[in-house]
């Protein structure tokens, strides 16, 4: 299935996600330069007395090395490759966060539901936009901005109540961690569907909500 190929082999094949041997700085710059996504540096991982921990110093951090480093992170986000380069030069190990509600919103679903939705979309002949798969077992489907306001009504129109599904729309004020950001020792964020010239134009959430809602319903 194309899903496995995109997740594993595709990580090396695609230009924008050339992560092996490429620094976080280079990747962040390429997201801003090639995809015109806003980027902002997050926390990073530190090794103290042989133990890996988040730079936030919270021993119980739920997303070590993969969350905002400062409360005003949203105002620090930039779509400028030059500014992004300068920010990661100051902290080369900082995670890469992509604010939502700007050039895209994101639909967050459990990993099992996400792969089921991708399989249904493939059978339907529908192409998703970029999709990330994170070590916290969540997948994020990138869609056109404005999705967060539409999702509750679209879910109801699909025959579900929003509270019954583990389907979350991320808009203004939220973010997703971008590959190759690491979640502590749990591994790195990967592309389930990598950014390509073919999916530069993101889908509207209306195109994805039916298979996503169905998959989340099956996953309950």
């Amino acid at each position: 299935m194309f899903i496995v190929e995109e997740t594993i082999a595709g990580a090396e094949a695609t230009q924008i996600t050339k992560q092996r041997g490429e620094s976080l700085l280079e990747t962040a710059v390429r997201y801003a330069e090639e995809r015109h996504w806003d980027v902002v540096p997050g926390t990073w991982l530190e090794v103290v007395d042989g133990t890996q921990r988040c730079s936030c110093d919270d021993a119980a951090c739920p997303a070590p090395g993969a969350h905002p480093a400062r409360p005003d992170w949203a105002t620090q986000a930039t779509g400028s490759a030059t500014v992004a380069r300068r920010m990661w030069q100051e902290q080369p190990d900082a995670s890469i966060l992509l604010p939502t509600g700007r050039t895209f919103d994101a639909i967050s679903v459990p990993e099992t539901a996400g792969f089921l939705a991708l399989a249904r979309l493939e059978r339907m002949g529908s192409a998703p936009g970029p999709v990330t798969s994170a070590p916290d077992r969540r997948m994020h489907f990138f869609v056109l901005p404005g999705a967060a306001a539409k999702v509750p009504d679209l879910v109801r129109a699909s025959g579900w109540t929003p509270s019954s599904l583990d389907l979350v729309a991320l808009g203004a004020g939220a973010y997703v961690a971008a590959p190759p950001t690491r979640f502590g020792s749990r591994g790195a964020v990967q592309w389930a569907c990598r950014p390509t010239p073919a999916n530069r134009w993101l889908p509207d959430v209306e195109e994805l909500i039916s298979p996503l809602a169905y998959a989340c319903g099956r996953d309950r």
Side-chain angles (χ1 to χ4, degrees), residues 30-90:
R30 277 148 51 80
Y31 287 146
E33 195 168 57
E34 298 179 12
R35 205 70 183 191
H36 305 296
W37 288 337
D38 282 6
V39 296
V40 63
T43 53
W44 56 92
L45 296 173
E46 300 175 332
V47 177
V48 178
D49 297 328
T51 301
Q52 197 174 60
R53 70 177 188 185
C54 184
S55 61
C56 73
D57 290 329
D58 180 359
C61 179
H67 64 85
R70 44 193 293 176
D72 63 343
W73 65 270
T75 65
Q76 302 300 311
T78 180
S80 165
T82 300
V83 175
R85 183 177 299 278
R86 183 170 66 248
M87 290 194 295
W88 267 271
Q89 284 175 338
E90 293 174 359

Side-chain angles (χ1 to χ4, degrees), residues 2-8 10-11 14 16-17 19 31 35 37 98 100 104-122 126-144 168 170 176-180 188-196 198-204 207-208 211-212 215:
F2 89 104
I3 297 169
V4 176
E5 293 173 355
E6 292 286 344
T7 305
I8 309 294
T14 181
I16 198 169
T17 55
Q19 292 160 17
Y31 287 146
R35 205 70 183 191
W37 288 337
L98 306 176
T100 52
F104 64 87
D105 280 4
I107 308 302
S108 174
V109 298
E111 183 181 73
T112 50
F115 280 119
L116 176 58
L118 286 176
R120 286 180 64 84
L121 286 165
E122 182 183 23
S126 299
V131 182
T132 63
S133 178
D136 62 357
R137 304 186 69 82
R138 302 290 297 184
M139 293 178 71
H140 296 89
F141 288 69
F142 290 24
V143 295
L144 289 173
V168 181
L170 302 177
V176 297
V189 183
Q190 299 183 58
W191 289 112
C193 288
R194 56 191 173 86
T196 67
N199 63 22
R200 179 172 292 277
W201 299 104
L202 299 176
D204 191 290
E207 302 171 41
L208 304 184
L212 284 172

Side-chain angles (χ1 to χ4, degrees), residues 117-185:
L118 286 176
R120 286 180 64 84
L121 286 165
E122 182 183 23
R123 289 195 298 270
M124 294 164 56
S126 299
V131 182
T132 63
S133 178
D136 62 357
R137 304 186 69 82
R138 302 290 297 184
M139 293 178 71
H140 296 89
F141 288 69
F142 290 24
V143 295
L144 289 173
K150 298 178 181 179
V151 161
D153 287 342
L154 291 173
V155 168
R156 292 187 190 97
S158 297
W160 302 91
T161 58
S163 61
S164 69
L165 301 180
D166 187 2
L167 184 156
V168 181
L170 302 177
Y175 64 90
V176 297
T181 294
R182 296 191 65 82
F183 276 58
S185 61

